[in-house]
Amino acid sequence: MITKKKLLLYGTALILGTYFLFLGLTKAKGFFAPLLTAVILSLVVLPLSQLMEKKMKRPLAAILNSLILFIISVGLMALVSYQIRSFAEDWPQIEETMTPKIEQFKAFALKHTPLDQEDIKEAKNNSSEMGSGTGDRIKAFMSGLSSFLANYLLTFVYVFFLLNYRQIFKDFLMRMFPDEERDTVKTIITKSAKVAPQYLLGKLILMGLLAVLYSIGLGISGVNNFILVSVIAAVLTLIPYVGNVIGFTMAVAFGFLTSGDTTVLIGIALTFTVTQFVESYVLQPYVVGERVDVHPFFVIVAVILGNMVWGIIGMILAIPIMGIVTVVLLNINELKPFGILFSKKEFSE
């Protein structure tokens, strides 16, 4: 029988352990983030690597799959870079278009809110003071950029080693447990390896359909570079919840801010509203469906925790990692209640 004192002790230990676990993960982001990203990516290309190994040696297949992932990632970054450059080129036009609207907004704010001219001047002064530390921000940006590039390249090195030496890691996991539990471990490894590719396949199909829907709506609305914007907005759905907001903001920047036409803004809002409705109630259940067995509530919790720990990369990795954790919990009898809690399937008594 667990006494109140023991219950308090266990509860305190659990809370402290969880706190220090997430604190450690946050501090060790530079090590764990690229490693876990590589694990998920290697699982994604594992079926392709196994297929290629029938015609070539494993090291060559591992190198080719790492290069394929690298080329795809460079292509996505090139798309975003092109869109940012296009936005910079349109900036003078945006300033000219939006200046009268900003003045109208100021007049409205002065008339209908407690704000006065002094508040507006103070806000301008604060923004000017923020701009004075440009040198420090450039140094911080360059430091962050060098760190990102190092981790970015390291990720693909990890992918190669994980694919090439995967049998060693599998044997290690199998030998970590007694002989009578090896069948269970093998089942967990097999099911876990399927989570990431199934999730990505569903996401790729979903992104393609979303790109078509966005292109139709944004093209009719009169958004500049609407096909490119639609593709990027669809790719951004890899970042759960936040990606949709970024995509909408980008469409507004290239549509409403450039033209200043209110009908364009209404068209963009209608496009994203209708597309999100179709995604949530038609595409998501049938395209992604049961590919990742995680309850929607814990999907949200995992995404929030991922953002708190590792930012955007944590949000992207949250769902496949949560799916793998759920598979593991469901196949261990002692931890199965937690697996049932995280799963969206209904289990009979």
Side-chain angles (χ1 to χ4, degrees):
M1 182 176 179
I2 300 178
T3 62
K4 291 182 179 179
K5 187 176 181 180
K6 283 186 177 180
L7 186 63
L8 179 62
L9 181 63
Y10 292 154
T12 304
L14 178 63
I15 292 171
L16 288 174
T18 304
Y19 171 77
F20 283 109
L21 170 64
F22 283 104
L23 181 63
L25 288 174
T26 303
K27 297 293 185 182
K29 176 183 176 180
F31 173 73
F32 283 112
L35 180 59
L36 279 179
T37 302
V39 170
I40 298 299
L41 289 176
S42 62
L43 290 175
V44 167
V45 296
L46 180 59
L48 177 60
S49 182
Q50 290 172 330
L51 187 65
M52 293 172 68
E53 286 167 16
K54 294 179 181 178
K55 297 183 179 181
M56 62 184 72
K57 292 184 178 181
R58 180 172 291 182
L60 181 58
I63 290 174
L64 289 176
N65 280 278
S66 301
L67 285 174
I68 289 170
L69 289 172
F70 177 75
I71 291 168
I72 292 172
S73 66
V74 169
L76 291 175
M77 288 194 293
L79 273 177
V80 175
S81 175
Y82 174 80
Q83 200 65 66
I84 292 172
R85 187 177 63 183
S86 178
F87 181 76
E89 291 173 355
D90 291 338
W91 181 249
Q93 182 183 348
I94 292 172
E95 271 192 316
E96 184 180 348
T97 303
M98 295 307 296
T99 298
K101 295 184 179 296
I102 293 172
E103 293 300 327
Q104 290 175 8
F105 177 76
K106 286 180 183 178
F108 177 85
L110 290 171
K111 185 176 180 181
H112 296 90
T113 66
L115 293 174
D116 54 28
Q117 289 287 354
E118 292 299 324
D119 294 323
I120 295 176
K121 287 181 181 178
E122 185 177 350
K124 285 184 177 179
N125 292 333
N126 289 337
S127 63
S128 299
E129 290 175 3
M130 289 176 63
S132 61
T134 305
D136 293 336
R137 285 204 298 274
I138 290 175
K139 289 179 182 178
F141 171 77
M142 294 304 296
S143 174
L145 180 63
S146 60
S147 176
F148 166 78
L149 289 175
N151 289 331
Y152 173 71
L153 296 174
L154 187 60
T155 299
F156 300 102
V157 175
Y158 284 149
V159 170
F160 165 75
F161 283 109
L162 289 168
L163 289 174
N164 191 37
Y165 300 105
R166 63 180 184 270
Q167 191 60 44
I168 296 175
F169 300 118
K170 184 178 180 180
D171 291 343
F172 167 75
L173 291 174
M174 296 289 289
R175 295 176 185 279
M176 283 285 290
F177 299 91
D179 292 343
E180 59 271 16
E181 294 183 7
R182 287 186 181 177
D183 288 339
T184 303
V185 176
K186 190 174 181 180
T187 302
I188 291 173
I189 293 173
T190 303
K191 288 184 177 180
S192 298
K194 292 179 180 178
V195 171
Q198 286 179 348
Y199 172 71
L200 184 65
L201 176 62
K203 271 293 185 183
L204 286 174
I205 297 171
L206 182 64
M207 286 189 293
L209 295 172
L210 288 176
V212 172
L213 292 175
Y214 283 139
S215 295
I216 294 170
L218 297 180
I220 294 172
S221 302
V223 176
N224 292 338
N225 300 321
F226 65 92
I227 295 179
L228 189 58
V229 173
S230 300
V231 171
I232 296 175
V235 171
L236 284 171
T237 57
L238 280 172
I239 309 173
Y241 309 110
V242 176
N244 294 325
V245 177
I246 299 173
F248 175 75
T249 305
M250 186 175 59
V252 170
F254 285 93
F256 175 65
L257 294 184
T258 303
S259 65
D261 190 351
T262 308
T263 56
V264 175
L265 180 61
I266 295 172
I268 294 170
L270 284 174
T271 298
F272 274 81
T273 301
V274 172
T275 303
Q276 290 307 308
F277 178 83
V278 173
E279 178 191 0
S280 299
Y281 295 100
V282 180
L283 299 179
Q284 190 79 22
Y286 291 101
V287 176
V288 180
E290 300 295 320
R291 295 176 189 272
V292 178
D293 179 25
V294 182
H295 194 279
F297 172 76
F298 290 103
V299 168
I300 296 173
V301 171
V303 169
I304 293 172
L305 287 175
N307 179 55
M308 291 173 62
V309 175
W310 291 343
I312 291 177
I313 189 64
M315 297 172 75
I316 295 174
L317 295 175
I319 297 178
I321 288 176
M322 193 66 189
I324 292 172
V325 169
T326 303
V327 167
V328 173
L329 295 175
L330 285 173
N331 286 276
I332 299 176
N333 289 329
E334 293 81 359
L335 301 175
K336 192 170 183 178
F338 292 99
I340 294 173
L341 176 66
F342 295 151
S343 174
K344 60 184 174 185
K345 294 178 182 177
E346 293 186 4
F347 292 82
S348 57
E349 295 290 339

